[in-house]
Amino acid sequence: MTTTDSGQRVTSPLAHLDQETIDRLAEEFDAIHDEVYGDLGDRDRRYIKTVIATQRQLAALGRIVLLNSRSRGAWVAGTACLGMAKILENMEIGHNVMHGQWDWMNDPYIHSSVWDWDTASTAEAWKHSHNYIHHTFTNIRGKDKDLGYEIMRIDPNQKWHPVYLLQPFYNVLLTAFFEWGVALHDLDLEAIRRGEKPMSELVEDLKGIAGKMRRQIVKDYLGWPAISAGAFLLSQAATGGAIRQPSTSRIGNVIRRRGGRRARAAAKFADQVLPGAESTFLRTLAANFTANIIRNVWAHAIIFCGHFPDQTYTFSQEEVENETRGGWYVRQLVGAANIDGSPLFHIISGNLGYQVEHHLYPDMPSTRYSEVAPKVKDICERYGLPYNTGPFGQQWGQVHRTIARLALPGGKPRPKPGPYHRPPHSKGGEPAVSEAARFRGRLPADHPNAGPEHESGGVEVSPPPR
């Protein structure tokens, strides 16, 4: 099979495999999944609870330090803590919990059916567009809406349009405000245009995004800045006005322009009381805004590096007709790319540095990806399949080179990697009975249909059956 939409031929990684071999490959990939699920237990539970506790402590520390946001050192430290807390909450916690990776615990709080995250996308819209659409139809042109997020040409087989000339520029905006771009993407405006999605659903989605926007504005741009300003006022009162502050108040200047004796008196009072509080409010607001940008830039980089480097394959809809489970596994394998990095790098990237393993096993707890990676590499070597990985700088550079090049007409697919080669690392053994199996009947409160096999309206991927 080859991809020929643009006139450029790229040999499918499945071309050298017969159906019997593809079926055997599916059994091997299934066995890796079953072995991990047979081993899930206390150490996995401790991991996710530790990460959640650490994230909350970082967020609290950042908020406390930013009470003194008029200090440059405190501003930098508080912003860094808050930015890291938002990254952890978005990547390693929110993304993975809402993928159903921790549903096997049947915890009433750490569960895909109840978890929401501190980002613009609503949980339900994201679970449908990402968990179901993207992970089921990965890199199928015309079906995977995450392929360039429908606003960028990142594959030569995508038909060129003059609007793509601007994609290097609006990609910069997407980087900074990624959470809002994803939220708008999840609306699926194309489906509405085609009449496949009723306007009533769009209205509900917009209400959800508006609610998320309102909460973020109230929390990050009003509430916490006001608390910081209040802390300054209390400190100023406790020290008898000993804390240095600007000589005039912004509010006082506005009042002063009105003229009159009362206005001057009110402005003078404001100059005595408010300048430090105003400065603290604005600096805390700026810190919170910066922390959100930090989270957005990092999420954009990790997600784009995992999907759009040169090594990844895309597929026409004709190529995947009558796709078997083994074919689905191979499409997931070659439609993603890993990022080499340290253990800390993988934690703050939500373990999406193992994007290949994540696409093979989106419901597997993220901390297990490093364990199964050698087994996936072994399968790749024995079946003559590529295993796409590279340093962060390399992957990031390829992504942005592609975005810049394919903004122009034409273009051809970049060379794809050959079969992976390294000494085999296979491990046999029958899967044990896991906690997920033993406690399948223990259900989260108010969610009687939840559990390892639950249907949540968007969490589960839908590959061909075994």
Side-chain angles (χ1 to χ4, degrees):
M1 294 184 290
T2 57
T3 57
T4 60
D5 293 4
S6 67
Q8 302 290 335
R9 293 183 175 271
V10 177
T11 302
S12 167
L14 283 166
H16 68 288
L17 303 176
D18 59 31
Q19 190 56 55
E20 182 180 351
T21 303
I22 293 172
D23 292 341
R24 189 165 63 249
L25 182 148
E27 292 176 1
E28 292 203 38
F29 277 126
D30 283 336
I32 292 174
H33 179 277
D34 294 346
E35 182 181 12
V36 169
Y37 262 75
D39 187 52
L40 294 178
D42 287 340
R43 73 180 176 106
D44 303 280
R45 180 192 292 102
R46 285 195 301 271
Y47 172 81
I48 188 60
K49 290 196 172 185
T50 299
V51 172
I52 291 172
T54 300
Q55 183 273 330
R56 290 173 177 171
Q57 291 163 2
L58 274 172
L61 178 62
R63 301 293 189 188
I64 292 170
V65 172
L66 286 172
L67 294 176
N68 187 31
S69 58
R70 291 183 66 237
S71 162
R72 181 175 299 179
W75 191 94
V76 172
T79 303
C81 285
L82 190 57
M84 181 58 70
K86 286 177 175 287
I87 284 172
L88 277 177
E89 193 276 338
N90 189 233
M91 305 295 286
E92 180 68 335
I93 302 172
H95 171 273
N96 294 334
V97 170
M98 293 201 300
H99 253 298
Q101 293 181 7
W102 303 98
D103 287 1
W104 58 272
M105 297 192 306
N106 289 315
D107 188 289
Y109 305 107
I110 308 172
H111 196 279
S112 63
S113 59
V114 297
W115 194 272
D116 200 0
W117 52 356
D118 180 26
T119 190
S121 294
T122 64
E124 289 308 312
W126 183 84
K127 284 189 288 188
H128 177 73
S129 69
H130 180 81
N131 294 8
Y132 174 66
I133 299 294
H134 171 58
H135 275 274
T136 299
F137 305 111
T138 303
N139 283 20
I140 300 176
R141 299 186 296 276
K143 298 195 76 172
D144 181 4
K145 299 179 186 301
D146 283 12
L147 193 62
Y149 287 92
E150 297 186 304
I151 60 171
M152 284 189 285
R153 182 172 180 250
I154 52 85
D155 184 272
N157 288 295
Q158 292 174 272
K159 185 179 179 181
W160 183 82
H161 188 278
V163 72
Y164 293 132
L165 290 170
L166 298 176
Q167 70 182 27
F169 304 101
Y170 57 70
N171 182 51
V172 175
L173 290 176
L174 181 63
T175 300
F177 301 101
F178 189 56
E179 60 173 316
W180 301 104
V182 172
L184 291 175
H185 167 71
D186 290 345
L187 293 175
D188 199 357
L189 298 178
E190 181 63 23
I192 295 171
R193 187 185 64 81
R194 294 194 303 264
E196 298 172 359
K197 179 177 179 178
M199 288 299 295
S200 59
E201 288 187 19
L202 174 62
V203 170
E204 288 302 311
D205 289 345
L206 288 173
K207 286 181 180 178
I209 293 174
K212 300 298 287 286
M213 180 184 293
R214 181 173 59 253
R215 284 193 290 274
Q216 188 173 112
I217 290 172
V218 170
K219 175 171 59 70
D220 285 342
Y221 305 136
L222 293 175
W224 282 108
I227 290 173
S228 292
F232 175 85
L233 290 173
L234 289 174
S235 299
Q236 189 75 314
T239 59
I243 303 175
R244 294 182 61 183
Q245 62 178 343
S247 58
T248 60
S249 160
R250 291 174 172 84
I251 294 174
N253 290 335
V254 173
I255 296 173
R256 193 174 290 111
R257 294 192 195 101
R258 296 183 178 182
R261 183 165 56 86
R262 290 185 178 179
R264 287 194 298 271
K268 183 178 179 180
F269 176 78
D271 289 341
Q272 294 173 342
V273 175
L274 295 180
E278 292 171 349
S279 176
T280 303
F281 182 97
L282 293 174
R283 287 173 181 266
T284 302
L285 185 153
N288 292 346
F289 178 79
T290 303
N292 282 324
I293 297 297
I294 290 171
R295 183 263 315 280
N296 291 341
V297 170
W298 182 250
H300 177 280
I302 295 300
I303 291 168
F304 274 48
C305 286
H307 292 88
F308 306 143
D310 295 342
Q311 312 105 308
T312 58
Y313 287 78
T314 64
F315 299 82
S316 67
Q317 296 183 40
E318 291 72 24
E319 285 181 277
V320 298
E321 284 186 28
N322 303 315
E323 184 178 60
T324 63
R325 189 174 182 86
W328 182 87
Y329 270 126
V330 173
R331 178 163 53 81
Q332 302 304 320
L333 175 75
V334 301
N338 281 3
I339 312 168
D340 301 333
S342 66
L344 177 60
F345 170 86
H346 287 303
I347 290 174
I348 65 175
S349 67
N351 276 288
L352 295 180
Y354 293 105
Q355 190 71 238
V356 169
E357 287 72 19
H358 174 59
H359 267 266
L360 290 169
Y361 308 115
D363 67 332
M364 183 180 290
S366 58
T367 187
R368 295 299 191 114
Y369 291 149
S370 62
E371 298 178 14
V372 304
K375 300 176 183 180
V376 173
K377 292 176 182 177
D378 174 53
I379 289 177
C380 289
E381 183 174 40
R382 288 188 288 105
Y383 286 86
L385 295 168
Y387 183 85
N388 301 328
T389 191
F392 177 80
Q394 170 188 302
Q395 307 296 60
W396 190 88
Q398 289 181 6
V399 167
H400 289 277
R401 179 181 65 187
T402 296
I403 290 172
R405 171 62 189 92
L406 296 183
L408 304 172
K412 60 182 180 180
R414 303 286 299 183
K416 304 300 181 186
Y420 178 79
H421 291 290
R422 65 167 290 171
H425 297 279
S426 59
K427 182 179 179 180
E430 291 296 321
V433 177
S434 71
E435 180 178 351
R438 291 199 307 270
F439 296 101
R440 187 164 295 184
R442 191 179 68 203
L443 301 171
D446 302 321
H447 291 275
N449 296 324
E453 308 296 334
H454 76 287
E455 295 181 2
S456 60
V459 168
E460 68 282 351
V461 184
S462 183
R466 297 194 187 195

